[in-house]
Amino acid sequence: MDLEREYLLQNYARYPLVLTRGKGIYAYDVEGRRYLDFITGIGVNALGHAHPRIVKVIREQAGKMIHSSNLYYHPYQGPLAKRLVEMSGLARVFFSNTGTESVEGALKMAKAHGRAIDAEKYEIISLENSFHGRSLGALSVTGQPKYRQDFEPLVPGVRFVPPNDIAALEAAFTARTAGMIVELIQGEGGIYPLTHEYAAKARELADRHNALLIADETQCGVGRPGTYFAYQRSTPVILPDVVVAAKPVACGIPLGFIIANDRAAAAIKPGMHGTTFGGGPLACRVALEFLDILDGLLPHIQEAGGYFHLQLNELARKHGFVKEVRGFGLMLGMELTVPGKQLVLDAMKEGLLMNCTHDTVLRFLPPYTVTEKEIDQAVKVLGKLFAKVK
Ligand code: PLP
């Protein structure tokens, strides 16, 4: 901790905890203390820590080849792309490393799509309170001034609209709109789902104006909502043109992706986009293993998520300072009328890892393997802490 204080950029406000290992839902600190991990590295360790099948393929593949670059083929990108196309209902995949990088690629796709139609068709619509990453492009579509203000001016041509306001959305779309980016469940912004009607209207307007609808599923996708993707939760499914994701895809080995339909994919021609690390053999092989395991876990995610939601609602009923419980599957948030930071620190002392976003929203992203017993344990800790809140 001392070395980090002296030598690292001071951009992170870390919790005073040094983690050294994990097994299943538990993480252990340097002194051997055990923590129930209900934040999973912000939604990354979807199978918990050190899942035996993931450890096995990492070991095997690390001994064969970790990286090969995108100059050459390797055995895992093609099968993984096929899986993602089948899961999503879209057509073509680009592999990246992070959510931010996936968002960047999707924005380039929308810009190139627009420009091929008209040089003035470059505008992107995004939502207030959204979060899409910290690079200049991703920040440009992130609808929260606190992340943007130190870096302005950012990429021009972005229009922000309030979520779930259909009239504002209709007013924002014009012939100049190249694309719209949405989180179906805003994560960093405090676990706010979009309504089905709103998503349907976004689809209709994007079609009417020949713009691309981009779903940023970095936090709300790849199993967490109890379906492969959040847009598959409601029927009829509102299919985006482009889906981006990252976080859980390779269980902690950095891997992100963009999946596009043929119309969107056609915007990217040879030489227009690329990456050195994206889609390496190690990451892709782990992702194939993860998706294989995920198939059998989706019903469990729905059940465990439903149970957790009920337990949180029960807590909310007992404690007046809980304003609302929101979310789907194993992406749940509890909005309080009091600040959540101290509760996060107190929970840590009680052996529970969670996090607080937007000052007052406790955020829970437990592993997809979480059991009812483990949920009960977490809820018990919350109950104990809530009883002391003034
Ligand atoms: N998009 C969303 C919806 C996110 O929640 C995040 C990160 O939390 C990002 C993009 C950025 O992803 P990364 O940190 O992997 O670059």
Side-chain angles (χ1 to χ4, degrees), residues 199-252:
K201 181 55 78 175
R203 178 68 278 169
E204 182 197 316
L205 289 166
D207 284 340
R208 195 187 307 159
H209 294 279
N210 197 0
L212 300 183
L213 182 60
I214 304 166
D216 180 352
E217 299 242 358
T218 302
Q219 191 163 151
C220 66
V222 205
R224 192 156 286 284
T227 47
Y228 288 129
F229 296 106
Y231 66 83
Q232 295 165 333
R233 276 194 55 259
S234 49
T235 39
V237 165
I238 296 157
L239 197 61
D241 300 295
V242 182
V243 174
V244 302
K247 288 192 186 283
V249 183
C251 299

Side-chain angles (χ1 to χ4, degrees), residues 41 152 173 198 223 250 283 346 373:
E152 286 176 329
F173 262 96
Y198 189 78
D346 292 345
K373 200 168 149 223

Side-chain angles (χ1 to χ4, degrees), residues 98-100 131-133 183 216 218-219 247:
T98 63
T100 302
F131 184 83
H132 297 291
E183 296 163 85
D216 180 352
T218 302
Q219 191 163 151
K247 288 192 186 283

